[in-house]
């Protein structure tokens, strides 16, 4: 008997796919388009009586049994939420050796900012403004994931986020499409690379407009103009696709009145025809079933038909997959076998690209060594150091002088919370490896007396996090915590110290999915505690741990030094300590505009001039309508001077390109990185354009006294935009203002004339 072509590793992939497809039943095809969560990592004693359990516990145990039953029928294409190599191999053996065609499973997992080695939250990685560093971090994440048997990550999240109330702002790159595109491409390169044995499929998400949810409320609908979609929300996806992303995840919500997961204009006309995506599209969790909940689909069969016809290839689901009804939809004539086959081809291609037909199993003998790599932890520390943003530093309050420190007070529950420093959206972490800020400072100060006071409690969420139940490491303030006593103790500790390092912010479960907030206030009595510590007269350094901007108006007025540490990850405490003590000069820059107050949001630097631009700061009657800190802001322990900004050609034709160059000099006595940023404004044209738009950036190391000439391209790629007038991308004859500097308020400027 001749072996099937699809089993021949020397045959062309397209031939193997065609052969395998010809052998599959309709049910098996629908199965390849179905991805189930699998909660079966727990082993039960032999003879265990499942029926004796309460219904809710029995349902949890029944779920993996149902998945395994579907797998035995050859009706599962992928499983997610499995990280134990032993379990992965057991399920893979079922797929490969116990099903008719032996098609291997794809195992997916949320490797968003690390698997065992946890890197800074993605918003922190974006704050590094360093694509090479970001790529290196996600290469490490991919290596660890693949060593555990994971083939595919649901990352990067490339949604533009312009409302910091939205909890998932922590998971992306902020508000700007150019920075977002660079970060997206770097992450795809890091995760996926060349589909090698240490790489995993990248899955940029959520297509599209998810970050524009009304009121910053997760899961609510989004209403986004075509102009914003094309100019702001689509570019990071385009960059991820151009970097080779093999998967894209659709969004949950309605976009302009149509659920994104069954929107043919979005998933086919735009994603494939316009952006050139050739991989497979997966839904977000239960998003196909949700089409019925959203009163879009009549029933689950209708939901499956409409999602598949829109261009959604694979359904991610907890149980009772809508796509299991595709055979019925085919019989009813609501889907065609051609459309079914197209989707299956895309999924099978990814499996062949990863080499799963030849090497379906994970070598669990290498897993412990990869997950415990010291080199990986060093990359995490470097990433945390480069992401830290120095927001304020009056009179050189930082760095701290070791020889002047006899006693140091470290205050705040977040200063010694291993779980919170890792941030949200990590599920296979080991908190015993986390270096807290307290530990980092203590270890680096040697004989200096370091006193710790946890101080004010951080209140729990009113509506609990759906992730906390599955995480035994979650940190909480004890129910009997006495804030009055603890704050008084913190004040006492601070009053007898040479400096008080006060750590404030939000717990990790107060950011992320389903963690939107109605306020940007510091939770609980953290502000009161800060005020009382400042009143002691002890110099205060404020360290902020969060995944979003918080209300720091009082701190900005009253504290000399403020550091944004994000959720810095496994080695975050070391990184914070090294920055505070001057071993590293901070060079992180804000990837979003930092508002003064929640009432200002959304607040973006790239707004339009509109009416009375000279009064932009006076839009509110009681408070300035300007940011507390500008987009791109971040201070350094060094100083930099910008000179000789020039354009290679002062005038070019539409379609031509030129170069802008600038001299940047480190005028200080220490080496440091500077993030050089180029912004433009178009004075007139077919449409109005924002007052400033980032069009280029470079993070550059400069030795003390060193001068470098930096060059940026300016041409159609930077100057064209999608116009609501012409309904296409245009470039206008116009005058372009150009600024280069250290943030979006850069004042060294020149102009470029564009003519027909």
């Amino acid at each position: 008997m001749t072996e099937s072509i699809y089993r021949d590793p020397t045959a062309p992939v397209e031939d193997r796919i065609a052969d395998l497809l010809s052998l599959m039943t309709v049910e098996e095809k629908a199965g390849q388009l179905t991805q189930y969560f699998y909660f079966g990592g727990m082993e039960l004693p032999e003879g265990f009586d499942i029926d004796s359990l309460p219904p809710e516990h029995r349902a949890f145990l029944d779920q993996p049994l149902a998945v395994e039953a579907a797998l035995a029928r050859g009706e599962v294409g992928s499983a997610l939420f499995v990280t134990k190599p032993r379990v992965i191999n057991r399920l893979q053996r079922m797929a490969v050796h116990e099903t008719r065609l032996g098609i291997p499973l794809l195992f997916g997992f949320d490797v968003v900012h690390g698997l065992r080695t946890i890197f800074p939250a993605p918003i922190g990685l974006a704050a590094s403004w360093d694509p090479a560093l970001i790529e290196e971090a996600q290469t490490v994440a991919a290596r660890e994931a693949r060593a555990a048997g994971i083939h595919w990550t649901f990352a990067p999240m490339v949604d533009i986020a312009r409302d910091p109330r939205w909890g998932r702002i922590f998971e992306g790159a902020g508000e700007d499409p150019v920075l977002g595109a660079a970060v997206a491409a770097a992450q795809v390169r890091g995760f996926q690379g060349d589909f090698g044995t240490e790489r995993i499929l990248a899955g940029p998400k959520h297509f599209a407009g998810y970050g524009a949810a009304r009121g910053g409320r997760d899961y609510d609908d989004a209403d986004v103009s075509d102009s914003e979609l094309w100019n702001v929300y689509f570019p990071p996806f385009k960059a991820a696709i151009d970097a080779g992303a093999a998967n894209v995840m659709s969004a949950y919500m309605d976009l302009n009145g149509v659920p994104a997961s069954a929107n043919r204009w979005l998933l086919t006309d735009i994603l494939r025809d316009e952006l050139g995506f050739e991989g497979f599209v997966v839904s977000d969790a239960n998003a196909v079933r949700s089409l019925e909940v959203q009163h879009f689909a009549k029933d689950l069969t209708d939901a499956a038909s409409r999602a598949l016809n829109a261009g959604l290839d694979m359904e991610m689901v907890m149980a009772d997959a809508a796509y299991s009804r595709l055979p019925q939809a085919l019989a009813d004539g609501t889907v065609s076998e051609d459309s079914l086959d197209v989707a299956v081809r895309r999924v099978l291609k990814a499996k062949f690209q990863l080499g799963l037909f030849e090497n379906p199993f994970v070598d669990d003998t290498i897993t412990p060594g990869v997950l415990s790599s010291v080199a990986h932890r060093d990359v995490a520390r470097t990433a945390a150091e480069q992401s830290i943003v120095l927001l304020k530093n009056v009179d050189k309050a930082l760095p701290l002088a070791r020889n002047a420190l006899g006693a140091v007070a470290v205050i705040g529950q977040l200063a010694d919370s291993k779980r919170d420093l890792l941030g949200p959206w990590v599920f296979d972490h080991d908190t015993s490896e986390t270096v807290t800020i307290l530990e980092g400072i203590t270890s680096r100060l040697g004989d200096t007396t370091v006193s710790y006071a946890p101080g004010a409690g951080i209140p729990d969420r009113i509506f609990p996090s759906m992730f906390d139940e599955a995480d035994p490491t979650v940190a909480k303030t004890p129910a009997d915590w006495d804030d009055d006593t603890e704050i008084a103790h913190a004040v006492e500790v601070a009053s007898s110290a040479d400096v008080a390092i006060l750590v404030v912010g939000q717990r990790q479960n107060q950011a992320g999915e389903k963690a939107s907030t109605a306020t940007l206030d510091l939770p609980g009595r953290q502000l009161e505690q800060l005020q009382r510590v400042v009143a002691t007269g002890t110099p205060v350094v404020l360290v902020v741990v969060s995944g979003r901007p918080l209300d720091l108006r009082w701190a900005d007025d009253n504290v000399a030094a403020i550091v944004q540490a994000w959720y810095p990850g496994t080695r975050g405490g070391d990184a914070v300590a090294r920055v505070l003590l001057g071993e590293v000069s901070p060079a992180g820059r804000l990837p979003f505009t930092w508002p003064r107050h929640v009432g200002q949001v959304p607040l973006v630097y790239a707004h339009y001039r509109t009416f009375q631009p000279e009064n932009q700061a006076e839009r509110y009657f009681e408070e300035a309508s300007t940011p507390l800190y500008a987009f791109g802001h971040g201070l350094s322990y060094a100083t930099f001077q910008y000179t000789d900004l020039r354009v290679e050609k002062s005038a070019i034709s539409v379609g031509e390109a030129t170069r802008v160059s600038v001299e940047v000099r480190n005028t200080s006595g220490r080496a440091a990185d500077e993030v050089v940023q180029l912004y433009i404004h178009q004075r007139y044209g077919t449409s109005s354009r924002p007052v400033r738009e980032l069009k280029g950036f470079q993070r550059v190391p400069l030795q003390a006294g060193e001068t470098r000439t930096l060059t940026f391209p300016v041409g159609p790629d930077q100057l064209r935009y999608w116009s609501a007038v012409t309904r296409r991308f245009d470039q206008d004859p116009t005058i372009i203002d150009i600024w280069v500097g250290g943030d979006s308020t850069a004042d060294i400027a020149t102009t470029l004339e564009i003519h027909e």
Side-chain angles (χ1 to χ4, degrees):
M1 180 177 178
T2 304
E3 186 176 80
S4 297
I5 295 172
Y6 80 89
R7 296 187 183 276
D8 180 1
T10 67
V13 168
E14 291 303 322
D15 291 349
R16 298 177 74 183
I17 292 172
D19 178 55
L20 180 53
L21 201 60
S22 71
L23 301 173
M24 296 173 69
T25 66
V26 172
E27 288 75 16
E28 288 167 336
K29 291 176 181 179
Q32 285 300 303
L33 306 185
T34 305
Q35 179 186 60
Y36 285 106
F37 282 80
Y38 183 80
F39 301 123
M42 179 175 62
E43 291 187 347
L44 299 175
E46 187 174 348
F48 184 83
D49 183 9
I50 292 178
D51 293 334
S52 67
L53 292 173
E56 65 274 14
H57 293 169
R58 190 166 62 248
F60 184 78
L61 293 175
D62 284 344
Q63 192 270 351
L65 297 177
V67 174
E68 290 184 25
L71 176 57
R73 298 190 300 269
E75 296 176 6
V76 180
S78 176
L80 74 156
F81 233 74
V82 193
T83 59
K84 295 179 180 178
R86 174 177 46 79
V87 177
I88 287 174
N89 279 340
R90 181 175 66 82
L91 294 175
Q92 195 70 289
R93 278 193 294 272
M94 292 177 63
V96 172
H97 296 313
E98 300 176 23
T99 65
R100 189 175 72 89
L101 296 172
I103 304 173
L105 293 172
L106 264 178
F107 287 94
F109 194 71
D110 284 284
V111 187
V112 174
H113 55 116
L115 183 70
R116 186 63 48 80
T117 304
I118 306 303
F119 294 91
I123 193 71
L125 288 174
S128 74
W129 291 59
D130 189 341
L133 172 76
I134 295 168
E135 181 176 344
E136 183 181 15
Q138 300 299 32
T139 299
V140 168
R143 185 178 301 127
E144 292 188 356
R146 194 66 185 268
I150 296 163
H151 307 129
W152 168 21
T153 179
F154 311 113
M157 194 205 83
V158 302
D159 295 309
I160 294 296
R162 295 186 156 190
D163 189 333
R165 293 173 297 180
W166 190 52
R168 299 189 79 165
I169 186 175
F170 104 93
E171 200 180 338
E175 74 180 53
D176 185 79
V178 169
L179 178 61
V183 172
Q187 292 192 77
V188 170
R189 291 193 300 269
F191 283 132
Q192 193 170 287
D194 59 356
F195 296 95
T197 57
E198 292 188 335
R199 301 296 184 132
I200 56 179
L201 301 180
K205 62 186 183 185
H206 309 79
F207 199 70
Y210 185 38
R214 290 185 194 267
R217 295 181 297 271
D218 215 0
Y219 308 150
D220 273 14
D221 65 297
D223 202 303
V224 186
S225 72
D226 285 353
S227 177
E228 283 236 317
L229 285 172
W230 282 107
N231 291 314
V232 177
Y233 290 92
F234 289 161
F237 283 99
K238 174 62 172 170
I241 291 165
D242 289 346
N247 170 249
V248 164
M249 179 185 287
S250 65
Y252 291 115
M253 80 300 149
D254 284 56
L255 175 65
N256 300 337
V258 181
S261 291
N263 187 329
R264 184 172 176 84
W265 172 81
L266 193 63
L267 300 183
T268 297
D269 297 350
I270 301 302
L271 182 60
R272 297 195 182 279
D273 297 345
E274 295 290 340
L275 302 186
F277 180 60
E278 296 181 351
F280 70 102
V281 179
V282 67
S283 76
D284 208 337
N286 286 342
V288 179
R289 290 180 56 85
S290 184
L291 296 174
E292 181 182 16
V293 176
Q294 291 167 263
H295 288 190
F296 178 77
K298 180 177 66 175
D299 52 31
L300 292 180
T301 304
D302 185 38
S305 299
R306 297 177 75 173
L308 185 73
N309 288 333
L312 190 132
D313 302 305
M314 179 181 282
E315 177 188 14
M316 178 193 294
V317 67
M318 298 281 186
D320 189 20
Y323 271 21
S324 69
R325 293 153 173 86
L326 284 174
Q328 182 61 52
L330 183 63
D332 294 342
T334 57
V335 299
S336 68
E337 190 153 10
D338 282 347
S339 61
L340 189 63
D341 287 353
V342 165
V344 176
R345 281 192 186 94
R346 291 168 179 159
V347 172
L348 292 177
K349 182 178 180 181
K351 295 184 178 185
F352 280 114
Q353 283 178 308
L354 285 171
L356 296 186
F357 282 83
E358 288 70 53
N359 298 291
F361 303 109
V362 56
D363 179 0
D364 58 6
T365 63
I366 70 168
T367 308
V370 175
L371 296 187
S372 62
S373 168
V374 173
H376 292 181
R377 307 307 189 263
D378 290 343
V379 176
R381 190 203 71 207
T382 299
E385 290 168 359
Q386 296 199 20
S387 73
I388 290 171
V389 181
L390 181 59
L391 295 174
K392 184 182 179 187
N393 192 27
V394 174
D395 297 329
K396 298 183 178 179
L398 289 176
L400 299 173
R402 290 171 185 264
N403 57 8
L405 299 176
V408 173
V410 178
I411 296 168
Q413 293 194 354
L414 294 175
D416 198 35
S417 174
K418 290 180 178 292
R419 177 64 187 90
D420 287 313
L421 248 61
L422 297 181
W425 223 243
V426 295
F427 302 104
D428 196 47
H429 52 285
D430 181 355
T431 52
S432 68
E433 292 193 3
T434 307
V435 178
T436 70
I437 294 172
L438 174 62
E439 291 170 341
I441 290 169
T442 301
S443 68
R444 305 201 87 75
L445 285 181
D447 295 335
T448 301
T449 300
V450 178
S451 301
Y452 173 62
I458 300 177
D460 288 345
R461 298 166 47 132
I462 293 175
F463 302 106
S465 167
M466 59 187 177
F467 300 111
D468 285 357
E469 291 183 7
D471 187 352
T473 69
V474 169
K476 293 185 178 182
T477 302
D480 60 352
W481 196 257
D482 186 340
D483 263 0
D484 289 335
T485 299
E486 297 296 338
I487 292 173
H489 176 57
V491 171
E492 180 183 358
V493 169
S495 63
S496 59
D498 297 310
V499 66
I501 299 170
L502 192 58
V503 183
V504 301
Q506 293 181 322
R507 291 202 186 277
Q508 59 83 24
N509 62 5
Q510 294 170 334
E513 184 168 355
K514 206 177 180 181
S516 296
T517 182
T519 174
L520 300 180
D521 294 346
L522 293 172
R525 296 169 64 183
Q526 292 182 90
L527 176 57
E528 176 193 337
Q529 177 173 268
L530 171 63
Q531 292 168 334
R532 291 174 60 179
V533 169
V534 169
T536 67
T538 298
V540 172
V541 172
L542 190 69
V543 177
V544 183
V545 173
S546 72
R548 55 162 59 92
L550 299 173
D551 189 336
L552 297 183
R553 288 174 297 170
W554 191 91
D556 187 66
D557 287 340
N558 295 279
V559 177
I562 305 175
V563 171
Q564 175 66 23
W566 314 105
Y567 298 107
T570 299
R571 295 290 298 277
D574 283 336
V576 171
R578 281 167 54 83
V579 167
L580 296 183
L581 294 171
E583 296 175 35
V584 175
S585 180
R589 301 293 183 261
L590 291 178
F592 51 65
T593 303
W594 194 297
R596 300 174 184 274
H597 183 272
V598 70
Q600 291 179 291
V601 303
L603 182 71
V604 297
Y605 84 92
H607 60 82
Y608 291 81
R609 284 174 62 83
T610 69
F611 185 65
Q612 294 187 347
E614 68 277 9
N615 296 329
Q616 183 65 42
E618 303 172 10
R619 302 302 197 206
Y620 302 116
F621 73 81
E622 83 281 33
E623 184 169 17
S625 51
T626 53
L628 187 64
Y629 306 116
F631 174 83
H633 170 75
L635 305 177
S636 171
Y637 296 153
T639 54
F640 303 96
Q641 182 182 52
Y642 289 77
T643 58
D644 196 19
L645 176 63
R646 57 194 182 277
V647 182
E648 186 176 69
K649 299 178 183 177
S650 60
I652 59 174
S653 299
V654 169
E656 288 186 329
T658 186
R659 295 187 298 175
V660 173
S661 59
V662 66
E663 302 285 330
V664 183
R665 178 175 176 80
N666 181 344
T667 55
S668 72
R670 67 169 296 160
D673 288 2
E674 171 67 328
V675 178
V676 182
Q677 304 162 41
L678 179 143
Y679 295 87
I680 71 165
H681 168 63
Q682 178 173 302
R683 291 191 188 175
Y684 54 85
T686 306
S687 300
S688 298
R689 301 303 301 141
V691 293
R692 290 197 183 189
E693 297 178 274
L694 179 72
K695 291 299 178 181
F697 64 90
Q698 296 180 47
R699 178 169 176 148
V700 292
L702 292 167
Q703 297 299 314
E706 181 183 2
T707 300
R708 289 183 61 177
T709 301
L710 301 181
T711 302
F712 299 88
V714 175
D717 288 346
Q718 291 74 36
L719 301 175
R720 64 197 287 267
Y721 64 93
W722 194 91
S723 170
V725 176
T726 61
R727 313 295 295 174
R728 64 172 186 259
F729 279 96
D730 281 322
Q731 184 188 343
D732 295 317
T734 186
I735 302 293
I736 300 293
D737 295 308
I738 299 172
W739 299 266
V740 177
D743 63 32
S744 58
T745 67
D747 57 9
I748 180 172
T750 187
T751 60
L752 171 65
E753 182 179 350
I754 313 293
H755 52 76
E756 290 283 5

